[in-house]
Amino acid sequence: MLEKKNFYINGKWVSPKNQKNIDVINPSTEKSCAIISIGGKDDVNEAVLAAKKAFITWGFTSKEERLKFLEKLYELYKKRWNDISEAITLEMGAPKDFSSKLQTGTGASHIKSFIRYLKEFQFEKPLGNHAPNQRILYEPKGVCALITPWNWPMNQVCLKVIPALASGCTMILKPSELAPLSSMILAELIDEAKFPPGVFNLVNGDGVTTGNALTSHPDVNMISFTGSTRAGALISQNAAKDFKRLSLELGGKGANIIFKDADSEAIERGALRCFRNSGQSCNAPTRMLVEKSIYSEAIERLKKYANDFKVDDPNKEGDHIGPVISETQYNKIQNLIKKGIDEGAKLVAGGPGKPNGLEQGYYVKPTVFADVNNNMEIAKTEIFGPVLSVMPFESEDEAIQIANDTPYGLTNYIQTQDAEKVKRVAKKLRSGMVDVNGAGIAVDAPFGGFKHSGIGREAGAEGLAEFLEVKSVGGWS
């Protein structure tokens, strides 16, 4: 049992002001693997004060100074790669190979990417040749509250912490209380890299107590949050009270349009992207739209693929998926699977209950529903489990209409060999990202969505700009 009760505030590991502990549950065993503390208002006040004081100097450091710290952090991160991977497997059940390659790997990729963008970024530039005495300055937004989810712990933490550090902001990180252990390792690395005290602070806790104290604190200038759309709406209300800057990366219900001329691997590739990470990705293609002429074939292929798909202990090597994060999440997924059956969707594979031989742990069967329509709950709700909804379409226009008929707009997918069709459809899909034929979205491409999927963009140049204010200066000489 790990004891991780302290918070990282002002360059030191400190005890909570008022001890209130919770267990971190290993989802593969349903047993406690660590104890952390819930940060209260006093802990948040201390962390915000430290960040506010640190900003006075850190906010005016040169990018060269900040680069040295980030490059040191990157080297230290690589040395603790295995520790981070093991923590992610323990806290959220990502299988060890997936945890190392993708979960830990994406964090490293973002650190490396932001270092590159920081080197290239101009924090001061002329307005243009027509106005030689006008300057545009990019300045850090100030004290940032960074609230991250459990499904991609290092990916999401590095998408916020690294550009915040690069821009000259100071911050308080509140990782998910369900998966905080990998974030605490990152705090150890930041401490080892000797960032100035108060620049980075970590306070563990839940949304109701710690998150609310952070997002309503008058000295927090910006909130960057990744999580559910419901929580994003509540955070927005707190931000609106004193016009805090806001960046939200929220839910998704991605459509994967399979045209009849799709490549031979498109159907299975789409199912894999839905099931990967146990379906716990906001950008997963959870609605598969299949052209009618190949619909029956697609259903048979999906049935075989899902029935053969491996679910197993995350401590084993291999390309299987592990459990979902918690009992609450498991029960939500089970209820939605039952709802799909009750609403008349055709259960093709999987279904209620746990896979054979995996009675202990929050394991879910890879599940496929056919003959789904957008009026069904399973088509409207972000399930956040390995559940795929399949529906037919007849024309390009109908596919676009079905894909856009959702309050979400994060990532959509297109499968076709017709380059002109790709361009037509991609432009009409109302989403922040479109993945074509399994190409993927680059690590430094802007990540974010339309509609209820959020506000702002993460990664790359746009992700750095999220933490910067723009100032115009006239009369610069």
Side-chain angles (χ1 to χ4, degrees):
M1 175 77 68
L2 299 171
E3 287 209 0
K4 296 288 186 178
K5 298 177 184 178
N6 291 345
F7 306 139
Y8 186 74
I9 298 176
N10 203 30
K12 296 179 181 179
W13 290 97
V14 299
S15 300
K17 299 293 185 184
N18 298 290
Q19 198 82 47
K20 181 183 178 183
N21 299 330
I22 59 169
D23 290 322
V24 178
I25 302 299
N26 179 339
S28 66
T29 64
E30 304 181 34
K31 296 178 181 178
S32 176
C33 63
I35 299 174
I36 63 167
S37 295
I38 296 287
K41 196 170 184 178
D42 291 340
D43 302 298
V44 168
N45 284 339
E46 185 179 356
V48 172
L49 178 61
K52 186 178 179 181
K53 287 182 176 179
F55 182 72
I56 295 171
T57 52
W58 182 254
F60 296 92
T61 52
S62 68
K63 78 174 184 179
E64 288 74 21
E65 289 178 79
R66 299 195 295 274
L67 275 167
K68 288 179 182 178
F69 283 109
L70 289 173
E71 286 169 343
K72 176 66 172 175
L73 178 62
Y74 180 61
E75 294 305 314
L76 293 171
Y77 186 100
K78 289 188 290 184
K79 291 179 181 178
R80 295 287 300 275
W81 193 289
N82 289 340
D83 294 339
I84 296 168
S85 301
E86 289 169 6
I88 293 172
T89 294
L90 182 67
E91 67 191 355
M92 60 84 58
K96 59 190 302 184
D97 291 347
F98 186 86
S99 182
S100 179
K101 183 178 178 181
L102 284 164
Q103 290 280 4
T104 305
T106 53
S109 295
H110 290 308
I111 299 173
K112 188 176 181 180
S113 174
F114 280 120
I115 288 171
R116 186 175 76 252
Y117 277 97
L118 178 56
K119 287 177 179 177
E120 298 169 353
F121 196 88
Q122 290 183 302
F123 287 87
E124 173 194 320
K125 65 181 183 181
L127 179 62
N129 293 334
H130 67 289
N133 69 340
Q134 302 287 319
R135 286 293 184 277
I136 304 297
L137 307 182
Y138 295 89
E139 299 181 353
K141 286 183 174 176
V143 176
C144 301
L146 311 178
I147 302 177
T148 56
W150 45 261
N151 59 322
W152 286 87
M154 273 300 94
N155 179 71
Q156 295 303 135
V157 166
C158 289
L159 276 171
K160 299 182 190 302
V161 169
I162 305 305
L165 291 170
S167 68
C169 289
T170 57
M171 68 217 66
I172 305 91
L173 171 66
K174 190 204 84 64
S176 169
E177 68 275 23
L178 300 181
L181 305 178
S182 54
S183 293
M184 297 184 82
I185 294 175
L186 184 69
E188 292 171 3
L189 299 178
I190 288 172
D191 183 71
E192 189 176 351
K194 300 192 183 310
F195 280 80
V199 168
F200 171 89
N201 306 274
L202 182 147
V203 178
N204 278 318
D206 58 11
V208 174
T209 302
T210 320
N212 186 62
L214 259 177
T215 57
S216 61
H217 198 290
D219 289 329
V220 167
N221 306 113
M222 178 187 176
I223 303 166
S224 181
F225 169 79
T226 297
S228 71
T229 299
R230 180 193 61 80
L234 294 172
I235 286 170
S236 297
Q237 293 174 20
N238 277 351
K241 294 172 185 176
D242 51 6
F243 300 95
K244 298 184 195 304
R245 288 0 187 192
L246 194 62
S247 178
L248 301 173
E249 200 275 284
L250 307 176
K253 194 69 181 175
N256 186 9
I257 304 174
I258 313 281
F259 289 101
K260 62 184 179 183
D261 65 342
D263 67 79
S264 61
E265 299 177 354
I267 290 166
E268 289 79 8
R269 183 172 63 239
L272 173 61
R273 283 290 285 109
C274 176
F275 298 156
R276 193 176 75 173
N277 204 38
S278 301
Q280 300 171 126
S281 298
C282 53
N283 61 344
T286 52
R287 292 181 297 150
M288 183 178 283
L289 284 49
V290 183
E291 194 160 357
K292 272 194 174 178
S293 63
I294 60 168
Y295 185 74
S296 296
E297 176 197 346
I299 297 302
E300 288 304 310
R301 287 168 60 179
L302 288 167
K303 179 179 180 179
K304 182 180 187 308
Y305 186 79
N307 284 333
D308 291 344
F309 203 86
K310 297 175 184 176
V311 185
D312 210 337
D313 185 337
N315 292 299
K316 293 181 179 179
E317 295 180 352
D319 58 358
H320 55 284
I321 60 172
V324 297
I325 185 68
S326 67
E327 182 180 15
T328 299
Q329 189 65 19
Y330 174 83
N331 290 335
K332 175 193 170 187
I333 295 165
Q334 295 300 311
N335 288 335
L336 283 164
I337 290 172
K338 291 170 187 173
K339 182 73 170 176
I341 295 170
D342 293 343
E343 287 184 317
K346 182 182 177 182
L347 182 63
V348 172
K354 297 180 181 180
N356 291 334
L358 293 170
E359 285 73 29
Q360 186 177 52
Y362 307 121
Y363 295 95
V364 176
K365 297 174 186 175
T367 297
V368 177
F369 283 103
D371 304 343
V372 178
N373 64 66
N374 268 355
N375 294 320
M376 294 179 179
E377 194 66 31
I378 55 172
K380 294 189 289 186
T381 300
E382 185 182 37
I383 298 173
F384 236 55
V387 181
L388 178 63
S389 297
V390 191
M391 53 191 82
F393 70 88
E394 289 188 345
S395 66
E396 183 179 313
D397 287 343
E398 184 186 13
I400 293 167
Q401 185 275 323
I402 295 171
N404 288 337
D405 182 21
T406 172
Y408 296 109
L410 190 58
T411 311
N412 285 309
Y413 299 73
I414 303 169
Q415 317 297 328
T416 177
Q417 300 304 299
D418 185 335
E420 292 307 311
K421 186 187 291 183
V422 167
K423 294 171 186 175
R424 288 195 307 271
V425 176
K427 289 177 179 178
K428 291 180 180 179
L429 291 174
R430 298 290 296 163
S431 58
M433 295 168 284
V434 179
D435 185 343
V436 178
N437 295 329
I441 303 296
V443 68
D444 57 343
F447 191 103
F450 294 4
K451 301 186 283 186
H452 290 198
S453 288
I455 299 168
R457 294 293 182 270
E458 294 188 310
E462 283 79 4
L464 182 58
E466 284 288 312
F467 291 90
L468 296 168
E469 295 277 18
V470 182
K471 178 185 286 183
S472 299
V473 181
W476 191 280
S477 59

